[in-house]
Amino acid sequence: MTGNLRLHGFNNLTSSLSFNIYDICYAKTEEQRRAYIDYIDELYNAERLTQILKDVTNIIGAQVLNISRQDYEPHGASVTILIAEHELEETDPEQMEPGPGPLPETVVAHLDKSHVTVHSYPESHPDNGISTFRLDIDVSTCGQISPLKALNYLIHSFDSDIVTMDYRVRGFTRDVDGKKLFIDHDITSIQDYLAEDTKRAYQMIDVNVYQENMFHTKMLLKDFALDNYLFGTSRRDISFEEARDIEGRLRKEMLEIFYSRNMD
C-alpha cells in the first residue's frame, strides 16, 4: 500500500474506475414508456447526480474544485466535478488505503484532484416494451487517493440489474531508489473490494489483464421477480402466457447486455 512505500517526490500514478449501470423494465404502452422515461429523468436529474458525485468526492478524500452539470432535452443529464487531493494526516492511514470504502448510510467526507463524471442514457424499444436506463460513471484520481473507496457507495446508490466495472492504474511513480512502480497496492480483482451483500446478490465474471494492471468485472442480479420489472402494471393484471413472454424478453435483454452480444 502507498502508506508503506517511500516514494521519490509526488505519487503520479493515475487510477481510474469506470461503471456502466443498467436498470431494465417493461412498459407495455407508449404512454407507460413515456412515463417511465419521465420517472427516470426526475429520479436521476442533474441535481441528484451532483449530490451523489459530491458524496463520492468526500468518500475518496478530495476537494471539489469545480462543478459543471446539465439536464438535457428531451432526456438525460450529465455532471462533471474537478477534484484535488487533500493534505492527508499521517495518523490516518485508512484514508490512503484503496478500499473497500463505506456504504451509503455511513458516508464520511473529504476529496481533491482529477475528476468524477456521470452521464445518463434513458432508452426504450418501440416494439417490444423493453426500456433500459444506463448510467456511465467515471472516477479518476492521482496521488494517494483511490477511486476504489467509492465502489460500494455507487453500487448501493442505484437500483442496478447489470453493472460492468473497469479499474485501471496508469503511468508510474518511483521509490527513493529510483525503481519504477506501476501500481502501488495489491489487487487480484475488483471483487476484492465489494461488500458481502453485493457478492451474494450478483452473479459475477472477471476479465483481468494483470500484467497491464487492468481489471474488469461484470455483475448480473441473481433474483428475478417479475413485479419488480413491470412499470405501470402488475403481475396480477396479466395472463400467465403474457407474463412468460415478458419475462423472456426481459431476461434476453439482461443477458445480451451482460455478455455484450445479441442472442437468438
Side-chain angles (χ1 to χ4, degrees):
M1 303 301 179
T2 50
N4 299 323
L5 295 175
R6 296 181 61 211
L7 302 180
H8 173 74
F10 177 68
N11 182 349
N12 55 22
L13 288 168
T14 297
S15 301
S16 299
L17 182 64
S18 299
F19 287 82
N20 300 121
I21 295 174
Y22 297 88
D23 178 73
I24 315 298
C25 91
Y26 177 82
K28 182 176 182 179
T29 68
E30 179 62 29
E31 182 180 5
Q32 289 171 344
R33 287 193 289 273
R34 286 198 303 267
Y36 171 74
I37 297 297
D38 289 342
Y39 162 76
I40 287 294
D41 254 7
E42 178 61 29
L43 183 63
Y44 298 116
N45 59 35
E47 182 177 358
R48 185 187 177 206
L49 294 176
T50 297
Q51 186 56 56
I52 289 173
L53 293 194
K54 284 182 177 179
D55 289 342
V56 168
T57 301
N58 289 335
I59 290 166
I60 63 176
Q63 277 183 337
V64 172
L65 297 180
N66 178 267
I67 298 175
S68 175
R69 69 184 189 187
Q70 180 67 49
D71 285 303
Y72 296 109
E73 292 293 341
H75 307 295
S78 295
V79 181
T80 300
I81 299 181
L82 297 180
I83 58 178
E85 186 177 346
H86 268 309
E87 290 291 329
L88 298 178
E89 297 290 339
E90 291 188 9
T91 55
D92 186 18
E94 288 188 5
Q95 191 61 49
M96 301 163 68
E97 298 295 328
L103 300 180
E105 61 270 22
T106 57
V107 170
V108 293
H110 54 277
L111 227 243
D112 202 334
K113 185 172 287 33
S114 294
H115 67 270
V116 289
T117 66
V118 60
H119 306 281
S120 68
Y121 302 90
E123 175 267 353
S124 64
H125 191 291
D127 298 324
N128 68 3
I130 300 296
S131 294
T132 301
F133 171 66
R134 184 179 103 235
L135 272 176
D136 292 350
I137 302 172
D138 292 285
V139 184
S140 181
T141 66
C142 57
Q144 297 184 42
I145 57 178
S146 172
L148 290 170
K149 296 184 75 70
L151 189 59
N152 287 302
Y153 173 79
L154 285 170
I155 290 174
H156 285 73
S157 293
F158 304 98
D159 294 325
S160 307
D161 296 308
I162 303 117
V163 181
T164 64
M165 298 174 289
D166 293 282
Y167 178 64
R168 176 81 190 271
V169 180
R170 295 181 173 88
F172 66 88
T173 191
R174 297 179 188 272
D175 66 15
V176 291
D177 297 320
K179 180 181 178 181
K180 295 183 182 70
L181 303 172
F182 295 94
I183 193 167
D184 58 3
H185 61 279
D186 295 327
I187 178 173
T188 58
S189 169
I190 296 173
Q191 295 187 43
D192 297 343
Y193 299 92
L194 293 175
E196 289 302 319
D197 64 333
T198 301
K199 293 179 182 179
R200 289 191 297 268
Y202 288 87
Q203 171 189 341
M204 299 187 192
I205 293 176
D206 275 1
V207 182
N208 301 322
V209 186
Y210 298 106
Q211 64 270 28
E212 298 295 335
N213 298 318
M214 297 169 59
F215 305 88
H216 176 74
T217 297
K218 299 192 288 189
M219 301 165 44
L220 175 66
L221 196 64
K222 292 178 181 177
D223 290 340
F224 185 96
L226 185 58
D227 262 327
N228 294 337
Y229 295 90
L230 299 177
F231 189 86
T233 187
S234 71
R235 174 65 183 84
R236 296 188 303 271
D237 301 325
I238 58 179
S239 67
F240 173 80
E241 290 77 14
E242 187 177 7
R244 184 171 60 181
D245 176 64
I246 293 170
E247 180 173 340
R249 296 187 200 185
L250 288 165
R251 288 186 180 275
K252 180 173 183 285
E253 179 83 356
M254 294 167 70
L255 288 173
E256 287 183 342
I257 294 172
F258 184 66
Y259 289 110
S260 302
R261 68 175 186 268
N262 292 304
M263 297 181 175
D264 294 332

